[in-house]
Amino acid sequence: MGNTVIQANTASEIQEESTFSFSRPELIQKFKKVRAFTEEITDPLEIEDYVVQVTENASPAKWHLAHTTWFFETFLLEKELEDYDPIHPQYSYLFNSYYLQTGVPHCRARRGNISRPTVKQVFEYRDSINEHVVNLINNATDEQYEKWGPIIEIGINHEQQHQELLMTDLKYMFSQNPLNPVYKEAERPKAKSIPEISWSGFKEGVHEVGHNGDGFGYDNEFPLHKTYIHDFELASRLVTNGEYLEFMEAETYSEPKWWLDEGFSTIRDEGWKAPLHWRKVDGEWHQFTLSGLEKLDLNDPVTHVSYFEADAYARWKGYRLPTEQEWEVASESLPIEGNFVDAGYLQPAALQTEKDGLKQMFGEVWQWTQSSYSPYPGYKPLPGALGEYNGKFMCNQYVLRGGSCATSESHFRKTYRNFFHANERWQFTGIRLAK
């Protein structure tokens, strides 16, 4: 992925388009830092929290800890070390996610049924694999390091993806508890008011879109290619809770003219009347956050909305959602600044500036686009099991851009293509308008 073209499942069959950029000390430091942050996310948990699975789409914390470890064991250690002895022969079954070419995985909906291995044993598993990977980096010949380093880089980025999933899975789990548990106390910036939306215009023409090969990228970001884009304008900031509340109070959830047919069927069948995690308490709207239940801040960006809700809101306002190509072109000249997980807010924060131009492009919430998740011209999925990472999901999903308050800044890039089904809203998803 990125600078690496995976030809098969073994490191000996990896070829690089450009030189692998990390020295051994740098790679070890990055590996240790990312692995440690996963465990930092679980630090506030009690032992009972690690195994709970409240829905098929939200995996238990223990599973995330083990799966990200399984990735290094399966794609690196087992394939590249002749004398490697797996920690447990059944871990490859229990902690596989969807890589069918590595073996049949355990049922996704039943991950919460597995009490063994224990949480303690999973942490021991992590420690053992960490030690093996660091030893492998230190003891590899230069030729071996050039082969294995890119696989470790993929594993690091894979783990950063799961850190975000872990946080949102924990949020969904805690939200189902009537005690409204607090995962972690966190303060975020507030705003007394925010500026009205303004518009930034972009001229039509042929633009290059996609990853240029400089630094890491997933295969679905490639290849860099040309695309024609018509004149468009992008809203200066994200849609707020207050603005979305106006949409709700206009009784749009009961009016089919604003909705895609499948969207209206979904909100009717699911009984949706508001974004996920919104609740009315004593006649006032509140939202559940990782810091507990709090009164809705009207100036915060709206989040936990589906594609259907984002699309309906845009229609109601007389606008539309941007395409992913428009979003990427608009972001090209902007510095990557925003509320990522590094800020520690655990929730999208209100806009803090009135400067002109595009704001809140990065961090805060993943921004729905109207673009279906499909391959770029010339895209080729990676052969072998690693080819199951992205390519096989290019059907019936939509692309989101920009990262969120649960995304690590070091993991993000402007070409990053997230993707979800139109009805999914448990991630930090939000809305930016276009016209």
Side-chain angles (χ1 to χ4, degrees):
M1 296 180 178
N3 293 341
T4 304
V5 177
I6 310 294
Q7 304 296 338
N9 288 329
T10 61
S12 62
E13 293 171 295
I14 287 182
Q15 298 177 352
E16 295 181 79
E17 294 178 349
S18 59
T19 305
F20 180 65
S21 60
F22 289 105
S23 68
R24 296 185 197 226
E26 289 172 337
L27 186 61
I28 289 173
Q29 181 184 28
K30 187 170 180 63
F31 173 77
K32 288 182 174 181
K33 182 177 181 179
V34 169
R35 295 285 283 171
F37 184 60
T38 306
E39 298 182 17
E40 182 181 329
I41 293 172
T42 63
D43 280 346
L45 302 182
E46 300 293 344
I47 198 68
E48 291 84 357
D49 298 325
Y50 281 88
V51 187
V52 177
Q53 181 179 18
V54 293
T55 181
E56 178 179 350
N57 287 337
S59 298
K62 185 178 74 171
W63 185 88
H64 283 290
L65 290 166
H67 169 72
T68 50
T69 304
W70 165 90
F71 193 94
F72 289 104
E73 183 176 47
T74 299
F75 291 105
L76 179 68
L77 302 179
E78 287 185 351
K79 294 189 179 299
E80 302 306 326
L81 299 180
E82 293 182 1
D83 59 347
Y84 179 75
D85 185 21
I87 304 299
H88 194 290
Q90 286 292 84
Y91 284 7
S92 62
Y93 166 63
L94 288 177
F95 302 127
N96 184 0
S97 53
Y98 51 72
Y99 298 89
L100 299 178
Q101 295 179 57
T102 67
V104 178
H106 180 256
C107 178
R108 178 178 182 177
R110 298 176 183 172
R111 291 170 181 169
N113 295 358
I114 307 302
S115 61
R116 306 297 174 90
T118 64
V119 173
K120 178 182 178 183
Q121 288 172 321
V122 166
F123 276 105
E124 290 172 348
Y125 178 40
R126 288 180 65 85
D127 289 342
S128 175
I129 298 304
N130 288 351
E131 183 178 355
H132 274 93
V133 172
V134 171
N135 287 340
L136 182 146
I137 295 171
N138 281 324
N139 297 328
T141 65
D142 289 345
E143 183 180 4
Q144 288 172 330
Y145 180 69
E146 289 178 0
K147 295 175 182 177
W148 296 339
I151 294 181
I152 297 170
E153 186 179 28
I154 292 171
I156 289 169
N157 281 272
H158 168 261
E159 182 138 358
Q160 288 181 302
Q161 283 185 307
H162 275 271
Q163 290 166 353
E164 183 163 356
L165 292 170
L166 173 57
M167 292 183 68
T168 47
D169 286 357
L170 289 172
K171 182 174 183 177
Y172 192 81
M173 177 191 75
F174 283 129
S175 76
Q176 305 303 302
N177 189 324
L179 298 178
N180 296 322
V182 172
Y183 160 75
K184 187 178 181 181
E185 296 285 358
E187 295 289 335
R188 63 183 183 278
K190 302 294 183 180
K192 292 183 178 179
S193 63
I194 57 173
E196 292 295 318
I197 283 178
S198 59
W199 298 88
S200 292
F202 298 85
K203 294 296 184 182
E204 68 176 341
V206 177
H207 298 267
E208 285 193 324
V209 173
H211 204 299
N212 64 8
D214 183 14
F216 179 81
Y218 288 122
D219 64 343
N220 64 0
E221 301 168 48
F222 291 85
L224 182 69
H225 61 283
K226 292 181 174 64
T227 187
Y228 190 87
I229 297 176
H230 293 274
D231 289 348
F232 73 96
E233 295 180 62
L234 210 59
S236 57
R237 59 166 174 78
L238 299 170
V239 172
T240 65
N241 287 330
E243 290 165 334
Y244 196 84
L245 186 57
E246 292 175 2
F247 168 69
M248 292 163 49
E249 291 176 341
E251 299 186 351
T252 47
Y253 274 80
S254 60
E255 179 52 71
K257 70 179 181 180
W258 305 117
W259 301 84
L260 295 169
D261 181 67
E262 186 179 343
F264 194 70
S265 296
T266 299
I267 66 170
R268 182 182 55 198
D269 294 345
E270 299 295 331
W272 292 352
K273 299 293 183 184
L276 180 66
H277 299 312
W278 282 33
R279 307 175 192 172
K280 261 196 174 177
V281 180
D282 298 328
E284 291 188 304
W285 282 108
H286 290 64
Q287 64 178 341
F288 184 82
T289 74
L290 283 165
S291 299
L293 189 66
E294 61 178 44
K295 187 175 178 180
L296 190 70
D297 189 321
L298 300 182
N299 292 324
D300 284 351
V302 66
T303 189
H304 298 299
V305 291
S306 66
Y307 174 84
F308 294 136
E309 291 164 301
D311 175 76
Y313 177 84
R315 292 169 188 263
W316 179 74
K317 292 293 290 185
Y319 304 119
R320 61 175 174 85
L321 300 178
T323 67
E324 66 164 321
Q325 291 82 6
E326 289 171 340
W327 188 98
E328 188 170 322
V329 166
S331 74
E332 284 177 348
S333 62
L334 301 176
I336 296 179
E337 298 172 346
N339 168 24
F340 292 93
V341 72
D342 315 68
Y345 299 150
L346 307 179
Q347 188 74 11
L351 182 64
Q352 298 298 303
T353 179
E354 295 189 6
K355 67 179 182 180
D356 294 333
L358 296 175
K359 301 171 280 290
Q360 298 178 309
M361 284 289 283
F362 312 114
E364 308 298 357
V365 297
W366 285 103
Q367 300 162 45
W368 284 108
T369 75
Q370 63 174 245
S371 298
S372 295
Y373 179 50
S374 59
Y376 285 159
Y379 168 77
K380 293 181 180 180
L382 306 176
L386 281 173
E388 299 184 61
Y389 203 113
N390 289 304
K392 72 178 186 180
F393 299 111
M394 291 177 171
C395 179
N396 299 330
Q397 305 200 54
Y398 286 88
V399 175
L400 302 94
R401 293 300 195 106
S404 83
C405 58
T407 308
S408 289
E409 186 170 0
S410 65
H411 179 60
F412 179 76
R413 55 209 164 269
K414 297 175 184 178
T415 56
Y416 200 126
R417 306 174 76 200
N418 205 347
F419 51 93
F420 287 107
H421 292 286
N423 65 324
E424 292 179 322
R425 55 186 197 160
W426 95 106
Q427 287 296 308
F428 287 104
T429 52
I431 309 170
R432 183 182 296 274
L433 299 174
K435 64 177 180 178

